[in-house]
Amino acid sequence: MDTWVIVLIVVVVVVLLVVLALALSRRSRVAQVRKREQAREHLQEAQVRGARAEQEQARAEEEAARARRERAEVQERTTLAEQEARERAARAGEEQAAADELRAKAEKIAPDLTADRHVHREPGDTVNPDYPEGGATRR
């Protein structure tokens, strides 16, 4: 074989190797560009989802705060209502004690009268249920 043929074959092989290397390099760059674009899309999607998540978190915190505020208001109203009920019960007790005291004084002064100014009935006296006063009606 002549040397020029061997040189030609070597040059062709070297050129083919260079072309193959360039093609692989370009293919690698295209793949890298595609990957970068995909990564960019992922980042954009992550930003959108992150913003949505922050909005949902803010709404959830706002609802929780509203619920806590409403619970506190209800608790305050309940406490005030219970306090009012205790005060009313205490006043009722005082009124009942005063009424009992006055009834006792009235019994002491006039033992034969009841609180409604009728003659006191002894236990065992029967009363017609249609006439609780025990007498005829007035006209």
Side-chain angles (χ1 to χ4, degrees):
M1 217 190 235
D2 289 332
T3 42
W4 69 270
V5 174
I6 293 175
V7 170
L8 183 65
I9 292 174
V10 169
V11 168
V12 170
V13 169
V14 169
V15 169
L16 286 176
L17 286 176
V18 168
V19 169
L20 181 64
L22 287 175
L24 287 177
S25 174
R26 181 175 175 166
R27 186 175 177 193
S28 175
R29 273 184 275 151
V30 168
Q32 192 176 27
V33 167
R34 218 177 301 130
K35 285 181 181 180
R36 285 179 156 269
E37 186 61 34
Q38 189 178 19
R40 201 172 288 121
E41 289 173 6
H42 287 319
L43 286 174
Q44 288 175 344
E45 181 69 20
Q47 286 175 339
V48 168
R49 287 183 178 213
R52 262 190 258 145
E54 287 177 9
Q55 284 178 333
E56 285 298 313
Q57 182 67 29
R59 283 188 203 132
E61 289 172 0
E62 186 177 308
E63 286 179 21
R66 186 177 326 120
R68 283 191 299 271
R69 190 171 43 251
E70 289 173 2
R71 185 180 337 123
E73 289 171 359
V74 167
Q75 196 171 18
E76 183 179 358
R77 284 193 303 266
T78 301
T79 301
L80 288 174
E82 288 173 349
Q83 184 179 357
E84 261 184 50
R86 283 192 299 273
E87 290 171 359
R88 283 183 180 167
R91 283 194 304 267
E94 291 169 3
E95 289 293 320
Q96 185 64 46
D100 290 343
E101 187 178 318
L102 289 173
R103 217 176 273 114
K105 285 181 182 180
E107 282 284 327
K108 194 174 191 180
I109 295 171
D112 60 331
L113 289 179
T114 60
D116 58 342
R117 298 184 182 229
H118 292 287
V119 176
H120 179 70
R121 293 185 177 79
E122 293 298 322
D125 286 350
T126 57
V127 176
N128 185 347
D130 294 330
Y131 300 101
E133 266 66 51
T137 59
R138 295 185 195 152
R139 297 197 191 246

